[in-house]
Amino acid sequence: SGVLRLAEEFALARSYTERLDLRAASLSQDVGTLSGGNQQKIVIAKWLATAPRVIILDEPTKGIDIGSKAAVHG
């Protein structure tokens, strides 16, 4: 209906923050201020939040640190 439900939005963000081991000071932090690995994890979280039946990723961990790679693969 075009209405944002902020509580649900933050709950979903918190869920993916824990699931992908996202490192940010808060959920309100600008994405541009995060490391490249954390930015990449946010993009993946956005895709996963749409509940796709199939998701195809081409080198989703290219150029990110080992810790972020483990979180993405997990």
Side-chain angles (χ1 to χ4, degrees), residues 17-36:
T17 296
E18 294 169 6
R19 192 171 165 187
L20 293 173
D21 192 29
L22 182 70
R23 307 293 172 128
S26 75
L27 293 176
S28 301
Q29 186 173 353
D30 288 334
V31 175
T33 63
L34 298 173
S35 69

Side-chain angles (χ1 to χ4, degrees), residues 25-64:
S26 75
L27 293 176
S28 301
Q29 186 173 353
D30 288 334
V31 175
T33 63
L34 298 173
S35 69
N38 282 315
Q39 289 179 8
Q40 205 153 345
K41 287 190 266 185
I42 287 175
V43 170
I44 292 170
K46 285 181 177 184
W47 292 334
L48 292 173
T50 65
R53 292 190 325 181
V54 175
I55 188 167
I56 299 171
L57 302 171
D58 182 26
E59 297 187 51
T61 59
K62 184 176 182 176
I64 60 175

